[in-house]
Every structure is written in structure tokens, then in C-alpha cells.
Amino acid sequence: MKSWWRKEPRPQPAGEGGSGASAEHVLRRLEWTAIKRLDGLLQGDYRTLLRGAGLDLADLREYQHHDDVRHIDWNVTARLQIPHVREFTEDREMAAWFLVDLSPSVDFGSGEQRKRHVSAEFVAVLARVLTRHGNRVGAMLYGSGVDNVIPTRGGRRHVLHLLDAIQRRPATAQTGTTNLCELLDAGAAMIKRRSTIFVISDFISEPGWERSLAMLSRRHEVIAVRVIDPLELDIPDLGLLTIRDSETGEQLLVDTHDASFRKRFARIAAQREAELREGFVKAAVDALELSTDGDLVDAVIRFAEMRQAPHAPERRRRAARAPESGVRMQS
């Protein structure tokens, strides 16, 4: 005689289902709150905002000051004595890589969210949007070095695998300052086929990463995704505070009630912001800024609108910023 009662699910041992269930829960929430709003915006049915590997020549037109000089058709230019550039129809199918910085500094967060959580949600949202249209995504995770490489694949299960790998990864021990050059150089050496690469980091690193970023952008379409916390830009009057360097563990007691200290901190932060913007401009990459207290979807939508807008390269050079969404673009 058959029994029609439903068996209770077998409990999973500790360590098997915890992180996986968490990744499933996070992705399901993002699918309802974020992915439905972004689907079709970054990846349309016929044309894509992000370039694929295949390019078909569509037209020729006269060169304008905001055009990429790499698209100049020198044969036509020589015949007509007027610079002309090629226009392409981009293939929708593409491969995307996420180069994720998970060094100790990304575990910081002054509010409910840490920078690591913002990075994980960005990877989940973009990866799911891209894989829903048949594209492939992969990732390289960096702590004290590049210690996890996930090859490009498609499908929802693969997105869960990416998200789970970021969530499961333990915090990196404090061994010194981060060197983003290792991550960028590893990406340049490993990713041979032209791809769209998202470099996700707070860019708190040893100097010199600008050159590696520029070298990476010569072959690939690179987007720098900077994750930041508001407390890194401006310290309010909170009295005596013990500040700890996330990278080295060094601690320092400061008096935030001192107005001169807050001014010096703001001046140094503004100088670092200017250096970062200059670094992105020199590397010729777009930059998207995500804040731990901002809205992820609003930031990505404004980023997409800026890329779709006419004369977008010229606008990106102005490093426009949207305070309400915490997004900045440079090129």
C-alpha cells in the first residue's frame, strides 16, 4: 500500500547548505527587487550596451572629437582626405568577467551593509542579467593574491556558484597593503578573448595599478566599479575614536571633535578622489561608484543611461556624479 504523506526534507550537515541557501535567498530577493528593473536595459533584444566578441561593420562617418581614434578607417581617410571612423553592429553574445577585490579593506562598513556585501550583490545582479540572455560570466577573486578563478559559464546555477564563492570566502588575514596590480595583471594574462571586464574594488591599494588597468583596457572593455563607504570621505563629530587600518591592523586614537582634524581628513580624502578620477581617465575606462548607503539599482540605471546617451565619451570625461544614487562615471 502506497503512502501519500510527504516526507520532511533531510537536514543537511553544517557547512553544506548554509552558504548555498543564503546565496539562493540573496539571488531570489535580487531577482524581484533589482534584476526585473534592469533586464533589457543593459542587454537588449538586438543591440547591447556592452560589446560582444563579434563586430559587424555597419557604416562609415566623419570623425568627431569624442570618437575613439582606434576606430578610424585610414584607407577611407587617405582617399577622402577627411578622417572617417567605422561604426559597428555589436554582437549581443558576450563573455563577462568579474575581477573582485576581497582584501581586508572591503570588510568595512559604517552602516548596515559592508562593502563586501555591495560587491557580492553587484556581481549577482549583473551576472544574472547577462546570463538570462545567453551570455557567459566568470570571476577572479583576490585576497592576499588571486586565489580563486571561476571559468565563464552561463545559467542561473552558475550565478549562484559565483555568489556562493564570494560569500563563503573567509576574510583575508591582515598581511599588509593590497596590490591591485596582481589582480589586474592576472586578468590580462588569463583572459585572452576580448571580453567585458568589471573590476570591483575600493581601490585602496599600492600605487601603480593605473598602468595595469590601462594595459587591460587595451584588449578588453573595462569598467571600474568602485565600492565606497561615506565614512571614508567625511568623518562627523563623534568625539574620541579608535581608527584601525583594515589592511595592516594599525590603530590610532583620534579626536573627531577637533574641527582642524576633520578638515585635514576631508582635504586628504578629496585629494585621493581627484587622484582616482585621474587614474581612471588615464586608463581610459568608465567608472561606476557604488556606496554602502546608496541604491544599487539606481546607480546601475544611471550608469546605463550615461553610456547610452549621445556623446557619452565626452560626458564621461566630465566625471559626472549623481549624489542621490552614488554613481560616478569617467572615461
Side-chain angles (χ1 to χ4, degrees):
M1 180 177 179
K2 293 183 179 179
S3 175
W4 297 103
W5 58 273
R6 180 175 298 174
K7 294 183 179 180
E8 293 295 328
R10 181 177 62 87
Q12 292 179 320
E16 283 187 13
S19 297
S22 176
E24 172 69 34
H25 174 74
V26 170
L27 184 58
R28 188 176 301 171
R29 172 176 58 82
L30 292 173
E31 284 176 336
W32 280 101
T33 60
I35 296 173
K36 285 183 178 294
R37 293 174 59 188
L38 294 175
D39 196 18
L41 180 65
L42 296 179
Q43 197 78 7
D45 291 333
Y46 300 100
R47 293 291 296 268
T48 174
L49 185 63
L50 306 172
R51 281 187 181 170
L55 296 176
D56 296 327
L57 180 62
D59 198 4
L60 291 166
R61 60 171 174 79
E62 290 189 15
Y63 174 84
Q64 300 178 18
H65 69 279
H66 58 76
D67 289 329
D68 190 336
V69 295
R70 291 175 295 183
H71 296 160
I72 293 178
D73 188 314
W74 294 107
N75 292 330
V76 176
T77 298
R79 289 199 305 269
L80 301 180
Q81 299 299 310
I82 299 175
H84 277 68
V85 295
R86 299 180 180 134
E87 287 189 327
F88 299 95
T89 300
E90 296 87 359
D91 187 356
R92 189 167 57 90
E93 184 178 352
M94 57 175 287
W97 282 85
F98 298 95
L99 274 55
V100 189
D101 174 15
L102 296 176
S103 59
S105 61
V106 302
D107 286 315
F108 174 74
S110 60
E112 296 181 357
Q113 286 210 99
R114 297 185 177 185
K115 292 187 285 185
R116 176 195 285 259
H117 300 154
V118 176
S119 299
E121 291 194 353
F122 176 82
V123 171
V125 168
L126 265 293
R128 188 62 184 127
V129 168
L130 293 173
T131 55
R132 281 162 66 99
H133 292 270
N135 301 301
R136 295 169 293 107
V137 296
M140 300 178 67
L141 307 185
Y142 172 87
S144 55
V146 179
D147 48 23
N148 193 357
V149 178
I150 303 173
T152 57
R153 290 189 179 89
R156 188 176 187 276
R157 291 184 62 182
H158 184 60
V159 176
L160 281 172
H161 177 52
L162 293 180
L163 182 56
D164 185 58
I166 296 176
Q167 290 182 327
R168 279 180 179 270
R169 195 184 185 286
T172 305
Q174 297 165 346
T175 57
T177 55
T178 299
N179 188 355
L180 275 181
C181 291
E182 298 179 8
L183 175 62
L184 299 172
D185 293 343
M190 183 167 296
I191 307 172
K192 299 300 184 181
R193 184 181 178 185
R194 176 176 171 83
S195 306
T196 297
I197 299 179
F198 298 90
V199 181
I200 307 168
S201 172
D202 55 9
F203 291 90
I204 298 177
S205 167
E206 291 282 352
W209 55 265
E210 300 89 347
R211 183 177 181 276
S212 296
L213 187 64
M215 294 294 293
L216 188 65
S217 67
R218 291 184 180 180
R219 175 185 292 268
H220 309 281
E221 182 179 9
V222 179
I223 299 170
V225 182
R226 184 186 173 211
V227 187
I228 193 168
D229 188 272
L231 205 59
E232 296 173 334
L233 301 177
D234 184 29
I235 290 185
D237 184 357
L238 300 174
L240 287 174
L241 283 181
T242 300
I243 298 178
R244 182 174 61 88
D245 189 326
S246 300
E247 300 282 329
T248 63
E250 181 181 357
Q251 296 185 355
L252 181 67
L253 182 65
V254 299
D255 182 10
T256 60
H257 184 65
D258 186 355
S260 61
F261 168 78
R262 296 198 305 273
K263 289 181 180 179
R264 290 197 302 273
F265 184 91
R267 183 174 66 251
I268 294 173
Q271 179 181 355
R272 180 172 181 270
E273 290 294 299
E275 291 174 353
L276 280 172
R277 289 196 296 270
E278 184 180 358
F280 293 142
V281 170
K282 287 183 177 179
V285 302
D286 289 341
L288 165 63
E289 187 174 284
L290 302 176
S291 177
T292 56
D293 67 345
D295 186 279
L296 172 64
V297 179
D298 287 345
V300 177
I301 287 176
R302 182 165 178 82
F303 174 78
E305 290 174 347
M306 287 184 175
R307 288 179 65 95
Q308 289 174 333
H311 310 298
E314 182 179 2
R315 294 188 180 186
R316 291 197 291 268
R317 292 188 185 99
R318 300 173 188 169
R321 182 173 183 174
E324 67 278 4
S325 60
V327 57
R328 176 179 300 153
M329 286 189 61
Q330 293 101 7
S331 175

